[in-house]
Amino acid sequence: MKKIIKNGLVIDPANKINEIRDIYIDGGKIVSAFDEKDAEIIDAKGLIVAPGLVDMHVHLREPGFEYKETIATGTAAAAKGGFTSVACMPNTKPVTDNAAVVTFIKDKAEKEGAVNVYPIGAITKGQKGEELAEIGELKAAGAVAISDDGRPVESAGMMRKALIYSSGFDMPVISHCEVMSLVDGGVMNEGYYSTYLGLRGIPDAAEEVMVSRDVILSEETGVPVHIAHISTKGSAEIIRQAKARGVKVTCETCPHYFSLTDAAVVGYDTNAKMNPPLRTDEDVEAIKAAIKDGTVDAIATDHAPHHIDEKQVEFDYAANGIVGLETALSLGITALVNEGVITMQELIEKLSVNPAKILNIPAGTLTEGAPADVVIFDADAKRTVNVADFASKSKNSPYDGYEVSGDVIYTIVGGEIAYKKA
Amino acid sequence: MNWTRKDLLGLKDVSAEEIQYILDNAATMKHILSQNVKKVPHLRGKSVITLFYENSTRTRMSFELAGKYLSADTANITASGSSVAKGENLLDTGRTLDVMGCDVIVMRHNCSGAPHLLSKHVNASVINAGDGMNEHPTQALLDMFTMVEKKGSLKGLKVAILGDVYHSRVARSNFYGLNTMGAEVYVASPATLLPKNVDMLGAKVCKTVEEAIEGADVVMNLRMQLERQKSGLFPSASEYAKYYGLNEDKLKLAKPDALIMHPGPVNRGVEITSGIADHERSVIDEQVTNGVAIRMALLYIFANRRNEE
Ligand SMILES: [Zn+2]
């Protein structure tokens, strides 16, 4: 059905639009103005209308871990959070390292998904870091990138081959940077709090050594690389310098790395356990600076649902990760826009335009002819995060009870309403 | 004092008043221990369960005897031969003990924070008998009790703690307790075994053992687990003994009446020489006796806590 979104503040960075205007939707696409009769009118007065958000780093857990999340529940959470496209990581069971699993995910998402789902294939078979996955076949089946996320590609030689081989298919490579010998059994950031809590620490170098490695490999091969979830001041600096000398490196960070520190672990809160770990105040400030100066291209959630039985255990045994789809936009508004770090337009760039560009998917713009993927939100609405309200199957969030700004009112995917605030 | 604390998870947030109260109670208990007939009825009708996920016959026996001397009913659960080994999760185990009417759960666990998790989900008092690398509050209390017995007070004492600070819950509990009670703590350890920002826990970091021992009232050596050598943290037992162990020569740097302490069991020839372990100023055996007194005091305080609710 035809729709007109009226009177909203349209922020469409791809077209340099930041003004009150109407958006016309027909046939699932953004179109030029048409006559109002027969159209459904969505009143967006006082609201922001932006290209639907794109999360380039989620774990939908299906196939294999449906007790944590499914494509249906994960995409419902995405829609509730204003995301119209998500790219899901391959650490499923079986691993998304072949065309059949990609096809399974795409089919399932087609039938049950509330938003667009773009599978990310594995770099190596079984994510074991030993043999390349069939990257050509993955791409043909619909995978938009490759990553062994959840674990690093430990061998520099394998990573180099992966970059070179994938360039033959123009397949973006996303690197989860973690040197396991430096992690050495660590479960949180190494620093005052790890000493205070008696928990094994993970040094910054565990991330930074591999970020450096991948920057060097990208520079040497000329193949772009995307660094997932950077969390330290050092990673930001390495990438900043690399970009300055023209290396084709891009990176993302997650809302928790600009809004929480390792102090959140005090009390052994397993919802503050993730990988990479929450870092220090100094890192948080450095990540914000990197978001501001463009070193950080994208904000992704690393949405990592886990069952309560995997979190309500000893800290050492607890699973890594938090759910993030339903808090990301609010945390971006609260910790970045309202704090004056970046503008709303820049936030939309990092939550929609840039990740779409990196993955080369049709999203992140309200250009005529583009898919009608739109988010409509109230940037000023104050709300209290309540995990019980999450559409996600899992509730593992450290933000429960947090006061945040920003509330999604509508999420429109392909011209249809995927979420509407009750 | 009016005891309100439900659990003893560590000393990091325990006040000087509370520590003094425990030490005073332990003095009374030590008196009971010196009697010919040690059994008193203080905890008749109370139950104490030791829940040990890590083997430590010494600590478990110390608690068990403490409970028995006070006439509590005691039972032991260890990781082998119980539902623990079958993979039952911590909270289920804890809840089971709770609904069986247990008054105090004494818990030893290889994971830091495990007693904290348990304590939030049970009505019983939880006494931490050592959690991972975090705390071992009853050990620090018995250490402090021993120091007070010998030195009269903790205020102004210079305590040198030597060895594997990184992995040591004993060291951490001592940092907190000793600082709270006005003592000064100096540490020396191989740089690979010194946790980051440990100075922020109230430990003055020295580069050498000699520097830490200089003028000390108490020299405490930590147990060195020899398997750490395999993870590359130090090269050999002999180099460790030479640079970080305690011997007669190094001891001369301490005050002439300095106490020699060790949480046990001792690796003779590694962290301390045999001569030092059996030295006239070694109070290692008394630490063990005082451990029972401290644990009697704690069981008494915590098992009776509910009477006052
Ligand atoms: Zn990752």
Side-chain angles (χ1 to χ4, degrees), chain A residues 45-250:
Chain A
K45 194 168 188 322
L47 305 176
I48 292 175
V49 178
L53 308 182
V54 176
D55 192 343
M56 63 181 302
H57 193 141
V58 303
H59 298 272
L60 292 179
R61 304 297 189 207
E62 189 174 0
F65 303 99
E66 291 82 356
Y67 67 95
K68 297 177 195 248
E69 192 82 287
T70 62
I71 288 167
T73 59
T75 56
K80 206 167 167 194
F83 291 92
T84 54
S85 296
V86 296
C88 54
M89 286 296 174
N91 57 343
T92 45
K93 195 167 75 182
V95 170
T96 311
D97 63 357
N98 62 76
V101 183
V102 173
T103 304
F104 169 86
I105 293 169
K106 300 246 339 162
D107 287 353
K108 199 94 199 242
E110 192 65 42
K111 279 190 222 114
E112 300 170 9
V115 307
N116 304 307
V117 174
Y118 294 97
I120 294 171
I123 296 174
T124 62
K125 292 192 183 95
Q127 296 189 300
K128 290 199 177 102
E130 291 160 3
E131 280 178 46
L132 287 177
E134 291 175 338
I135 294 165
E137 298 290 1
L138 286 167
K139 176 153 185 170
V144 295
I146 50 170
S147 178
D148 272 358
D149 187 64
R151 44 172 93 174
V153 177
E154 287 243 58
S155 153
M158 178 51 71
M159 189 63 178
R160 184 170 179 275
K161 286 170 199 137
L163 286 172
I164 295 170
Y165 185 80
S166 68
S167 71
F169 297 92
D170 292 321
M171 200 58 155
V173 179
I174 301 172
S175 180
H176 164 117
C177 291
E178 186 183 17
V179 177
M180 298 315 290
S181 68
L182 289 170
V183 173
D184 199 18
V187 293
M188 71 171 293
N189 181 52
E190 181 180 79
Y192 165 69
Y193 286 105
S194 62
T195 298
Y196 176 75
L197 293 165
L199 292 169
R200 286 176 178 276
I202 302 171
D204 296 350
E207 175 175 318
E208 293 161 3
V209 167
M210 199 170 282
V211 172
S212 300
R213 179 198 79 175
D214 290 345
V215 161
I216 291 166
L217 291 175
S218 168
E219 188 166 21
E220 182 246 354
T221 59
V223 181
V225 69
H226 177 81
I227 309 293
H229 44 56
I230 69 161
S231 70
T232 73
K233 184 181 178 181
S235 294
E237 187 52 33
I238 293 160
I239 293 165
R240 180 177 292 120
Q241 289 174 8
K243 285 186 166 185
R245 58 177 196 271
V247 183
K248 289 185 249 170
V249 57
T250 53

